[in-house]
Amino acid sequence: MNLEADLGPDGAIAQISRLLDSMTAQPGFDRRRIHAMVIGVPGPVSAEARTAPWSRVGVLPSDLAEQFGMAVAVENDANLMALGARHDHPEAASLLFLLVQTGIGAGLILSGRLHRGLLGWAGEVGHVPVAAAGDMPCMCGNRGCVALIAANPALMRAISKPTQPVNTLADLAHLVQSGDIDAIMALREAGRHIGEAIVGLVVGLAPEAIAVGGPIAEIGNHVITGIRETLAQRTPPAISSQIRIVAAQDHDRAAIRGATDLAFDLLFPIS
Ligand SMILES: [Zn+2]
């Protein structure tokens, strides 16, 4: 289920409560049998507290656990998708899940385990500077971050024309699927920029597979084609010829599978 940001603590708890009520109103759902809740959020989630910054909502998992009487975990959304994508790539001990949407994030599986890094910042590749973004200021405090030119809002602005406005992802998908060459080239160019941003990560960690998900990445193969082009040009052939770069198909499903794994770990921790 989707939770709106900017709710404030009381608003967040109230909305989660309403969503739980609507779920458990369905036949076969008994709220007393729900033992764990996993909440995926954009942006880094600190490893020690698993709390902040949770967008601007500001509720601690412990608050939610007390309120709802169940185990609660908060996790970065791309991290959940990386955990879920392991099921599609059981042979890959190292996996990079790239999520392209309002921002650009990545979940990293290394030696079969999720790697969160310092303050949960591992995989925040949307904040890697690329040349084409120049010195545009970013909300992270740096300049020239790739998300400023390759995430969904920037792409929709770039493709939009007075005669053909692109206000929604559905507008964008329609243009691409109808063969609009400007829209297709913009997606491919975004893929090239994203590829540039992950060159260091790919050479440094040499993941066996890269799964790319998110609404625009799942409209045809255009974003992935751009990523492949840059990695083929900018990484050693020994890596670029072997690494598997694939579409995630359904990033929401990957998140649900990852959240299920995390809930299982919450309820049955390995001591
Ligand atoms: Zn940034």
Side-chain angles (χ1 to χ4, degrees):
M1 53 195 184
N2 292 319
L3 182 68
E4 293 167 21
D6 302 326
L7 289 170
D10 292 342
I13 286 175
Q15 189 180 16
I16 292 170
S17 187
R18 282 195 299 276
L19 289 166
L20 272 174
D21 286 343
S22 69
M23 276 176 61
T24 53
Q26 298 170 46
F29 275 90
D30 181 348
R31 186 156 168 170
R32 289 167 301 181
R33 295 182 64 188
I34 301 176
H35 299 292
M37 182 191 308
V38 176
I39 300 171
V41 297
V45 178
S46 68
E48 53 285 327
R50 325 274 337 119
T51 56
W54 175 7
S55 294
R56 289 169 290 282
V57 174
V59 183
L60 305 181
S62 55
D63 295 337
L64 295 169
E66 190 175 330
Q67 179 77 24
F68 295 109
M70 62 181 76
V72 176
V74 176
E75 185 57 82
N76 171 264
D77 50 5
N79 284 357
L80 289 178
M81 293 171 199
L83 286 171
R86 289 182 307 178
H87 297 282
D88 297 323
H89 304 277
E91 73 294 344
S94 56
L95 169 77
L96 177 66
F97 189 100
L98 263 178
L99 175 64
V100 185
Q101 44 185 18
T102 310
I104 302 172
L108 276 168
I109 302 294
L110 299 177
S111 302
R113 298 175 64 90
L114 183 64
H115 176 75
R116 296 186 174 97
L118 178 67
L119 301 175
W121 264 81
E124 290 296 321
V125 295
H127 297 288
V128 174
V130 294
D135 66 350
M136 293 167 70
C138 179
M139 58 182 282
C140 73
N142 205 348
R143 289 178 176 273
C145 296
V146 67
L148 296 170
I149 57 170
N152 295 359
L155 264 178
M156 287 162 64
R157 276 196 306 275
I159 295 168
S160 199
K161 301 170 191 165
T163 53
Q164 202 168 38
V166 177
N167 298 318
T168 65
L169 287 170
D171 292 341
L172 176 57
H174 175 73
L175 269 184
V176 172
Q177 283 157 359
S178 64
D180 183 283
I181 198 69
D182 291 340
I184 289 171
M185 293 312 289
L187 291 193
R188 191 170 294 192
E189 186 70 5
R192 290 192 197 101
H193 295 317
I194 294 167
E196 181 184 343
I198 64 169
V199 162
L201 195 60
V202 169
V203 177
L205 298 176
E208 290 159 58
I210 300 176
V212 188
I216 67 157
E218 292 165 18
I219 306 172
N221 255 340
H222 311 295
V223 173
I224 287 182
T225 299
I227 293 172
R228 281 200 187 109
E229 279 178 27
T230 302
L231 294 183
Q233 290 163 3
R234 304 273 305 269
T235 63
I239 292 177
S240 59
S241 65
Q242 295 295 317
I243 195 166
R244 279 178 292 113
I245 307 173
V246 297
Q249 304 297 340
D250 186 341
H251 60 285
D252 284 334
R253 178 170 165 269
I256 291 168
R257 293 176 90 177
T260 305
D261 289 352
L262 207 55
F264 199 83
D265 290 346
L266 266 180
L267 296 173
F268 306 103
I270 300 168
S271 54

